[in-house]
Amino acid sequence: MKKNVILFPILCCIMAITACHKKNAYEYPFQNPDLSVEERVDDLLGRLTVEEKVGQMMNATPAIERLGIPEYDWWNEALHGVARAGRATVFPQSIAMAATFDEDALLKTFTMVSDEARAKYHNYQKEKEYDRYKGLTFWTPNINIFRDPRWGRGMETYGEDPYLTSRLGLAVVKGLQGDDPKYLKSHACAKHYAVHSGPEWNRHEFDAVVSPRDLYLTYLPAFETLVREGNVQEVMCAYNRYEGTPCCGSNKLLVNILREDWGYDNIIVSDCGAIDDFWKKDKNTPRHETHPDRESASIAAVRTGTDLECGASYRALLDAVKNGTIKEEELDISLRRLFKGRFGLGLLDPDDRVPYASIPYAVVESPEHIAQSLEMARKSMVLLKNGTSANGNILPLSKNIKKIAVIGPNAADSTMLWANYNGFPTHTVTLLEGICTKMPDAEIIYELGCNHTDNIMFNDLGNHITSGGQTGLTAEFFNNAEFDGEPVYKGIVSNIHYTTGGNTQFAPNVNLTNFTARFAGDFESPIAGDITFRLAGNDGFRMFIGNDTVMKLWTNEYGGGKSYTLKAEKGKKYPLTIEYIQKTGSADLNFEIGYYKPVDPAETAAKVKDADVIIFAGGLSPRLEGEEMPVFIDGFKKGDRTDIELPSIQREMLKALKATGKPVIFVVCTGSALALTWEHENVDAILNAWYGGQTAGTAVADILFGDYNPSGKLPVTFYKSTSQLPDFENYDMKGRTYRYMTENPLYPFGYGLSYTTFAFDNASLSSSEITSAQNVTLTIPVKNTGDTDGEEVVQVYIKNPNDPDGPVKALKGFCRIPVKAGSTANAVITLEPNAFSSFNDAKQIPEIRPGRYDILYGNSSDDKDLKHIELILKSTI
């Protein structure tokens, strides 16, 4: 006993000394991870100058060296994989993942994305790389409603339905932000808030006009779900105006609804350059011009809660504080949120305190992640048509086929599969490669046939370049900017097509930056006439034919493209040398050689008429549809589309292929809905493959040849023609999407075929009468009536007969279930009270009303695919 009495005070003394040392290990209290976030933020704010505070309110925040705070750039992207930061797993585009109707699969996918994000971030930190696309604050998901298929950025969304967007967006947020009780894995960002879905060409001046009904029932639900249920850490305000005020300065959107009604107290970030739109005058890009100058614009944005600017207008806040037009305490409101966000991520804590810091770099594009990309691609693809033949349905194709023709602009295009806001995979399986790998014993005939839109086609002649008796060019790489000394790598390359994003080497032992490369070979022209050479890249390149410099774009930091036309003699050899210099940023270099000739569908058809089956890979490309793009060709305008028909040159090619009398399978790659009326009536089968990510070619081949039973469903309506669409700039939902459309579409929302058939037996409710405070569970027996195992997406819609101005029907539940051939499985879907919410026009708010509701269930939104059961919702009063 005496021994313990003696030891106890000694032990207490040791513990006190240890605690004292631990406390003194941090120079400032804000550095101490054991303090609360609030205490740390209070301490840090008290140490900052006004200049330092303003610097922390723009996306590229400078270091505060005197306090040991490194620079940080908030701008990062992870739309369907970690983007723009070198090697990463590229999953299918968002609109494709929406077609899976699978919340669990989205959660799994984005848990993998955030694993890669953490691994890459900590690796960058070790290398002291703090620039853009290297942080943990990801400006995704895009949860805008894809209200019109002409919008080029619709591919970034989860479709046209608010409920589907809410559920899948929530899964993305959970996957990105993790589940640690103390630290966030990364930040997700709900964008673009709000009422934002094109057009792209006028987004900097556009004023979106919507009714309160459409605002609350269509444009806001997904944002509310991510705020209330997902604790999303960032919300990005949109470029456009709402009710005459730019969204990033909208008191109604940011203060009344987001902050006050929904209780949001995390970060609001502007879209990039959105504050400039408040005040800048630009004859080339018209803007809102709602404020006279940078200072008044910045003050307005801060006072309505925009904490962080992507841009530099907020520099004016320094003068504003000095002039007394805004108080320093007003900046502190935003700074508290910003530093709470950084502390929550552990950005200022030692790695050994942050559990996510131990994620190994080996997860980046790991076999498990590539396998998940493949699984998501398979699940996303939607079989739109499967015609019949003498032996039954055309698809799946027999593996005994001897001769297969693969035609079209998307057949061998790898970068198309990456979509936009993408990372860079080590290898991409094109559709052509996937088919060749699947059918190694078949004869595969490949013809480009046509481009996406042009009547003129570029015919590649890269295989007519040789070096040392081999096809290709001799490549030499130097780890300096002067081509000095011995090359660190030398070898033959078959082509020059590099897009590294700054984190993947051009070749072994080559620097990521500050290197040079020389490529040399002989081009022997197979024709007499004009041969075109095209080079594009950054930082600089030049090309020689013999001793003559024919193209030069040297040390241009922003890169660009050049072309040169050679009047070639048939059979003559031309010595080529290409030199490349790379200094900063990402390393990109692309070289093409070929000649132009008119597209001749009949000539292509004649080449493939002996094939057993013709697979045409066409549709669109992310080089045609996307964010504010410099594209002005027939059918397309600055990233948007002016019509939704398939480009005419592709339709002419399909007509010629159909005239061969052979089965024609149309594989559609697209980020948006196409009007495929002629194609539906004339080709034998149509598979919508979207932009399917790095393994899309494997997924397409798996489905075409029966190794995977298609199960994707459309997250958007496929209209019959552009004439079925209201005016693009009209944000009224009347006539738009399956919820308000009264005409018959070509393919309805939720539609997708399978290689088997399913039958829905009568559903049962846990109760046929409920109050507005109760959940109700719907049990739906689903029988696989075919002879192939498959997965079905069970969809539940609600129709409110008492609200004539409401949606025709609205999705309120879904689940994906596997059902073996000949078996029955039960889909169990719980409907919460807000599933019965409608809009009270008198009160101008959504509410749950008592009355009779029709619950519709089936495998698409089409009435003929739905059964119904009635529910009575009683008043709680």
Side-chain angles (χ1 to χ4, degrees):
M1 187 72 176
K2 223 179 239 187
K3 185 176 179 182
N4 289 339
V5 170
I6 295 169
L7 286 176
F8 182 73
I10 296 174
L11 180 61
C12 290
C13 184
I14 292 171
M15 290 172 66
I17 293 170
T18 302
C20 183
H21 278 299
K22 187 174 182 181
K23 183 177 180 181
N24 293 335
Y26 303 104
E27 186 175 358
Y28 306 108
F30 77 82
Q31 297 171 326
N32 186 351
D34 295 317
L35 296 180
S36 70
V37 169
E38 290 74 18
E39 289 175 301
R40 298 176 75 183
V41 172
D42 283 343
D43 177 68
L44 179 54
L45 283 182
R47 299 180 187 279
L48 298 181
T49 66
V50 176
E51 290 82 0
E52 289 168 337
K53 288 180 178 181
V54 170
Q56 297 298 304
M57 294 180 69
M58 291 167 282
N59 68 285
T61 62
I64 306 175
E65 294 181 2
R66 66 184 184 86
L67 296 177
I69 298 175
E71 63 183 281
Y72 182 77
D73 198 316
W74 289 79
W75 187 348
N76 209 345
E77 306 287 355
L79 184 64
H80 52 115
V82 178
R84 299 178 176 177
R87 185 165 70 94
T89 307
V90 178
F91 294 92
Q93 178 58 288
S94 299
I95 193 67
M97 289 196 280
T100 69
F101 279 67
D102 193 330
E103 293 178 67
D104 292 339
L106 265 288
L107 175 60
K108 180 178 179 180
T109 296
F110 278 88
T111 299
M112 291 179 171
V113 172
S114 57
D115 281 348
E116 295 196 13
R118 269 290 177 175
K120 291 170 77 68
Y121 168 77
H122 291 286
N123 187 63
Y124 287 133
Q125 291 293 297
K126 291 173 185 175
E127 301 298 325
K128 300 192 182 304
E129 295 183 32
Y130 307 117
D131 48 318
R132 186 179 298 172
Y133 307 132
K134 295 177 180 176
L136 286 173
T137 44
F138 293 99
W139 292 347
T140 198
N142 182 340
I143 54 169
N144 292 131
I145 296 303
F146 197 177
R147 68 183 176 92
D148 192 301
R150 288 168 290 199
W151 184 35
R153 295 190 75 180
M155 73 167 92
E156 301 172 24
T157 76
Y158 295 94
E160 68 185 37
D161 181 76
Y163 182 77
L164 179 65
T165 300
S166 298
R167 302 317 303 171
L168 299 185
L170 184 62
V172 172
V173 170
K174 290 179 177 179
L176 286 176
Q177 295 187 171
D179 57 4
D180 186 79
K182 180 173 181 179
Y183 289 104
L184 289 154
K185 198 175 184 186
S186 69
H187 277 194
C189 175
K191 68 181 189 183
H192 309 81
Y193 183 76
V195 198
H196 178 84
S197 56
E200 286 296 300
W201 62 270
N202 65 355
R203 63 184 183 166
H204 300 284
E205 61 167 336
F206 184 69
D207 187 10
V209 178
V210 299
S211 67
R213 173 181 284 269
D214 286 340
L215 177 69
Y216 281 98
L217 295 189
T218 297
Y219 295 110
L220 292 186
F223 288 98
E224 183 175 6
T225 296
L226 268 58
V227 167
R228 291 187 184 273
E229 295 185 45
N231 189 30
V232 68
Q233 292 296 297
E234 299 181 30
V235 170
M236 177 180 284
C237 46
Y239 285 116
N240 56 279
R241 278 176 286 157
Y242 167 70
E243 294 187 340
T245 303
C247 288
C248 291
S250 171
N251 202 63
K252 180 173 181 178
L253 289 176
L254 302 186
V255 179
N256 299 150
I257 296 175
L258 183 58
R259 298 277 191 211
E260 294 175 352
D261 293 350
W262 298 349
Y264 181 71
D265 195 32
N266 295 328
I267 296 163
I268 298 176
V269 56
S270 80
D271 208 337
C272 296
I275 309 304
D276 289 356
D277 291 342
F278 285 35
W279 63 274
K280 274 193 174 180
K281 294 176 175 58
D282 189 336
K283 63 180 181 181
N284 296 319
T285 304
R287 300 173 188 260
H288 302 308
E289 295 184 35
T290 52
H291 294 71
D293 52 41
R294 187 195 309 255
E295 184 174 314
S296 62
S298 299
I299 291 171
V302 170
R303 283 180 172 161
T304 49
T306 302
D307 306 304
L308 182 73
E309 182 206 7
C310 181
S313 280
Y314 272 16
R315 290 174 183 166
L317 292 171
L318 183 57
D319 287 336
V321 173
K322 292 178 180 177
N323 297 335
T325 50
I326 193 171
K327 295 179 181 180
E328 185 176 344
E329 291 79 8
E330 293 180 82
L331 306 188
D332 288 349
I333 295 171
S334 289
L335 287 160
R336 284 185 181 279
R337 298 185 188 115
L338 293 171
F339 280 114
K340 183 187 79 171
R342 292 176 74 173
F343 284 126
L345 286 165
L347 299 189
L348 302 178
D349 292 356
D351 278 358
D352 60 6
R353 299 296 294 268
V354 183
Y356 298 122
S358 62
I359 296 173
Y361 198 83
V363 302
V364 176
E365 207 187 11
S366 64
E368 293 80 8
H369 291 192
I370 295 172
Q372 180 66 6
S373 177
L374 174 59
E375 182 65 8
M376 293 304 286
R378 287 167 170 159
K379 283 186 172 184
S380 73
M381 294 180 183
V382 184
L383 184 60
L384 298 176
K385 179 184 179 181
N386 193 6
T388 57
S389 67
N391 298 318
N393 288 332
I394 295 295
L395 295 179
L397 297 171
S398 168
K399 291 182 182 176
N400 295 321
I401 289 176
K402 301 299 183 185
K403 196 171 187 178
I404 304 167
V406 182
I407 315 293
N410 285 332
D413 189 343
S414 59
T415 57
M416 172 274 301
L417 298 172
W418 302 347
N420 69 351
Y421 282 90
N422 58 281
F424 303 100
T426 301
H427 177 69
T428 303
V429 183
T430 65
L431 275 58
L432 177 62
E433 181 184 344
I435 293 167
C436 289
T437 301
K438 180 68 67 176
M439 299 293 287
D441 297 326
E443 179 185 355
I444 310 292
I445 308 168
Y446 166 65
E447 290 285 333
L448 176 61
C450 65
N451 293 317
H452 291 97
T453 60
D454 300 333
N455 291 321
I456 300 295
M457 186 169 60
F458 187 75
N459 288 263
D460 184 78
L461 295 176
N463 60 350
H464 290 269
I465 298 175
T466 59
S467 180
Q470 298 184 57
T471 299
L473 300 105
T474 297
E476 296 179 320
F477 293 89
F478 305 83
N479 281 337
N480 56 69
E482 294 80 30
F483 299 91
D484 189 36
E486 289 295 315
V488 295
Y489 177 82
K490 185 173 181 179
I492 299 290
V493 295
S494 59
N495 58 60
I496 301 174
H497 181 73
Y498 298 105
T499 308
T500 70
N503 197 37
T504 303
Q505 297 167 304
F506 265 37
N509 304 316
V510 178
N511 292 341
L512 295 176
T513 58
N514 194 36
F515 69 90
T516 47
R518 182 180 290 121
F519 306 88
D522 293 317
F523 167 64
E524 183 174 345
S525 180
I527 64 168
D530 291 345
I531 301 296
T532 298
F533 300 83
R534 301 193 296 212
L535 267 173
N538 67 343
D539 292 331
F541 55 77
R542 55 194 176 194
M543 188 181 108
F544 307 89
I545 296 180
N547 295 319
D548 297 329
T549 305
V550 296
M551 280 191 281
K552 185 176 182 180
L553 188 69
W554 203 240
T555 62
N556 177 353
E557 182 179 354
Y558 300 104
K562 292 279 187 180
S563 64
Y564 172 74
T565 300
L566 169 72
K567 291 195 176 297
E569 299 177 27
K570 183 176 181 179
K572 182 175 179 178
K573 285 190 176 182
Y574 297 88
L576 304 179
T577 303
I578 296 168
E579 292 185 337
Y580 175 64
I581 183 171
Q582 204 285 333
K583 288 186 176 180
T584 61
S586 62
D588 300 287
L589 183 65
N590 295 279
F591 170 67
E592 292 179 300
I593 178 174
Y595 66 96
Y596 292 94
K597 74 170 188 176
V599 173
D600 187 342
E603 178 184 320
T604 299
K607 292 180 180 179
V608 301
K609 62 183 176 62
D610 294 330
D612 297 314
V613 65
I614 300 170
I615 298 170
F616 180 77
L620 300 180
S621 165
R623 293 184 284 276
L624 292 172
E625 56 177 346
E627 181 179 6
E628 201 174 359
M629 301 165 65
V631 177
F632 298 93
I633 57 179
D634 188 33
F636 301 87
K637 180 180 180 181
K638 210 168 182 179
D640 294 324
R641 295 155 63 196
T642 56
D643 65 61
I644 61 171
E645 277 68 35
L646 186 71
S648 59
I649 190 62
Q650 293 188 53
R651 184 162 289 170
E652 292 306 310
M653 182 62 67
L654 280 167
K655 288 179 179 178
L657 298 175
K658 180 64 178 175
T660 64
K662 296 303 174 69
V664 177
I665 315 300
F666 186 13
V667 178
V668 183
C669 295
T670 181
S672 54
L674 288 159
L676 301 173
T677 303
W678 183 91
E679 290 73 19
H680 175 76
E681 293 171 351
N682 290 277
V683 302
D684 296 278
I686 304 174
L687 177 67
N688 188 9
W690 310 104
Y691 303 134
Q694 70 183 79
T695 58
T698 302
V700 166
D702 286 346
I703 291 173
L704 292 183
F705 292 95
D707 289 327
Y708 189 87
N709 189 353
S711 56
K713 302 288 184 177
L714 291 179
V716 289
T717 299
F718 272 47
Y719 300 84
K720 290 180 179 178
S721 68
T722 308
S723 64
Q724 284 191 315
L725 299 173
D727 183 270
F728 188 15
E729 295 181 57
N730 183 354
Y731 268 68
D732 191 325
M733 287 304 296
K734 184 178 180 181
R736 292 190 182 280
T737 76
Y738 82 95
R739 294 166 66 235
Y740 294 96
M741 187 179 182
T742 55
E743 298 180 59
N744 291 322
L746 178 63
Y747 302 119
F749 174 90
Y751 170 84
L753 301 176
S754 170
Y755 290 155
T756 191
T757 53
F758 297 95
F760 288 70
D761 290 337
N762 292 331
S764 61
L765 290 168
S766 56
S767 175
S768 60
E769 293 187 4
I770 62 169
T771 69
S772 59
Q774 290 178 293
N775 294 343
V776 62
T777 298
L778 187 66
T779 302
I780 307 167
V782 181
K783 184 175 183 179
N784 184 335
T785 55
D787 55 8
T788 303
D789 295 348
E791 290 188 341
E792 181 62 291
V793 174
V794 181
Q795 302 158 48
V796 176
Y797 299 84
I798 291 181
K799 181 176 183 178
N800 182 1
N802 303 307
D803 186 9
D805 295 324
V808 175
K809 61 177 76 76
L811 182 74
K812 295 299 179 181
F814 61 88
C815 71
R816 171 186 280 265
I817 58 170
V819 190
K820 291 188 176 296
S823 299
T824 298
N826 285 332
V828 180
I829 295 174
T830 298
L831 300 173
E832 297 180 348
N834 62 9
F836 303 94
S837 179
S838 57
F839 195 76
N840 186 316
D841 292 294
K843 296 179 181 178
Q844 297 285 281
I845 57 170
E847 67 176 11
I848 302 170
R849 300 177 188 169
R852 179 177 63 83
Y853 290 83
D854 287 336
I855 299 178
L856 313 174
Y857 57 95
N859 58 6
S860 94
S861 64
D862 195 326
D863 285 341
K864 68 178 177 57
D865 295 327
L866 295 169
K867 302 182 77 169
H868 77 96
I869 189 170
E870 190 176 281
L871 174 78
I872 302 297
L873 195 150
K874 299 182 294 184
S875 173
T876 55
I877 298 174

